[in-house]
Amino acid sequence: MRVVVISGLSGAGKSTALAHLEDLGYFAVDNLPPALWAELVATLKAAGVRRVALGIDVRARAFLDAAPSAIDALASGAEPVLVFLEARPEVLLARYNLTRRAHPLRGGHLLREIEAERRLLAPLRGRADWILDTSETGPGELGQRLAQLLGEERPFVLRLISFGYKWGPPQVADLLLDVRALPNPHWEEALRPRTGTDPEVAAYVFTGEAEPYYRTLREAARRAAEAARAAGRSGYTVAVGCTGGRHRSVAVVERLARELGEDFEVEREHRDVGKEG
């Protein structure tokens, strides 16, 4: 069983880190007194939970002294790891000014509060397995760094969905690509019963005149997915639409899957290919 304890300075990203761990499948609990950690972990282990994230910060200062020994106590039945997050004082000051939140110590002088917090958390920092400075780290990058440290990186997934505008676009789409300007096999009697997975249908769609338009769409999908991956997202959905969702959109999704599959893990779905009308 793996237990990850997240601590650090207020404003350094602890809440964000816990949220990312939840996305990775961890059962996350924040600021539970350390004396209760062993009981919680035992209860979760009995229920089949194998990954737990525990947060503790200066808001639990009455219990901070017990945290290092509580982490050591977990080692008998789990694999505890302590990650400590910090940032430069001027960065923390700017973040507090931006959010207009009060520091947990509420001493009336933010920089002094930050330094007092640093002293209170020094024992936990000294016990840390990893110390992450988030001064230059955004929320998405913090999630990536955590996943890398823990060896739990999930592959970024590019999801491609073909659909027909007559049935409405998918609500899950991050980006809509309209391919109704491409040649329509529906008007060819021999091609009408087939779908965009058919090589002859695809050849009809991707005429020489259609190539520049298709390449523009492919570049838009690629750049959008790359930006989403760089921002720390776990996936991105591109929906490709034609009129009925049977020919052009299917052919484009199939080709995008082949050509973008070199750079991304791709999942594809042809939502409306079997619909009539």
Side-chain angles (χ1 to χ4, degrees):
M1 187 176 189
R2 166 170 272 184
V3 179
V4 178
V5 180
I6 302 290
S7 186
L9 302 177
S10 302
K14 183 179 69 70
S15 297
T16 299
L18 285 174
H20 280 296
L21 290 177
E22 281 191 305
D23 290 341
L24 289 173
Y26 281 75
F27 189 103
V29 180
D30 195 12
N31 274 326
L32 182 73
L36 302 177
W37 287 357
E39 182 180 353
L40 171 69
V41 169
T43 300
L44 293 175
K45 189 174 184 179
V49 177
R50 290 294 177 265
R51 292 186 291 180
V52 181
L54 301 170
I56 185 165
D57 58 34
V58 77
R59 291 174 297 165
R61 53 188 174 275
F63 307 105
L64 286 176
D65 291 343
S69 59
I71 294 171
D72 293 334
L74 294 174
S76 60
E79 298 177 8
V81 174
L82 173 57
V83 180
F84 190 90
L85 307 177
E86 62 184 13
R88 298 191 302 272
E90 66 272 18
V91 173
L92 296 175
L93 183 62
R95 290 174 181 173
Y96 267 99
N97 287 336
L98 181 64
T99 62
R100 298 179 181 271
R101 294 180 59 192
H103 192 278
L105 294 182
R106 298 179 181 272
H109 190 291
L110 189 51
L111 283 176
R112 283 201 292 266
E113 292 164 3
I114 291 171
E115 289 308 310
E117 179 184 33
R118 195 183 298 273
R119 290 192 297 270
L120 287 169
L121 294 177
L124 275 174
R125 187 183 189 279
R127 171 64 176 75
D129 296 282
W130 291 303
I131 298 172
L132 298 183
D133 188 315
T134 67
S135 298
E136 308 297 334
T137 303
E141 186 182 352
L142 176 56
Q144 291 177 326
R145 292 177 67 185
L146 272 176
Q148 290 169 355
L149 284 176
L150 299 173
E152 298 198 31
E153 290 182 274
R154 290 184 175 179
F156 178 87
V157 177
L158 173 60
R159 292 176 289 272
L160 302 172
I161 303 175
S162 68
F163 73 95
Y165 274 98
K166 69 191 302 181
W167 314 109
Q171 293 185 346
V172 297
D174 295 301
L175 174 67
L176 292 178
L177 300 180
D178 188 344
V179 298
R180 287 175 290 185
L182 297 178
N184 190 356
H186 175 80
W187 304 115
E188 293 294 325
E189 187 174 350
L191 300 179
R192 187 177 304 160
R194 308 185 198 180
T195 72
T197 61
D198 186 292
E200 291 187 31
V201 172
Y204 185 91
V205 171
F206 297 116
T207 60
E209 293 79 5
E211 279 297 309
Y213 184 63
Y214 166 77
R215 288 196 295 270
T216 299
L217 297 179
R218 182 185 61 196
E219 186 64 15
R222 183 194 303 278
R223 287 183 177 273
E226 287 174 345
R229 180 165 60 186
R233 292 186 54 174
S234 60
Y236 192 79
T237 300
V238 177
V240 181
C242 61
T243 302
R246 182 176 180 85
H247 299 112
R248 292 167 289 182
S249 61
V250 173
V252 170
V253 162
E254 289 292 314
R255 185 170 172 184
L256 286 174
R258 290 194 305 272
E259 297 178 356
L260 298 181
E262 300 177 0
D263 302 313
F264 305 98
E265 180 171 320
V266 174
E267 295 177 356
R268 60 185 181 272
E269 173 190 350
H270 300 305
R271 193 193 70 176
D272 300 331
V273 72
K275 294 179 180 178
E276 301 289 343

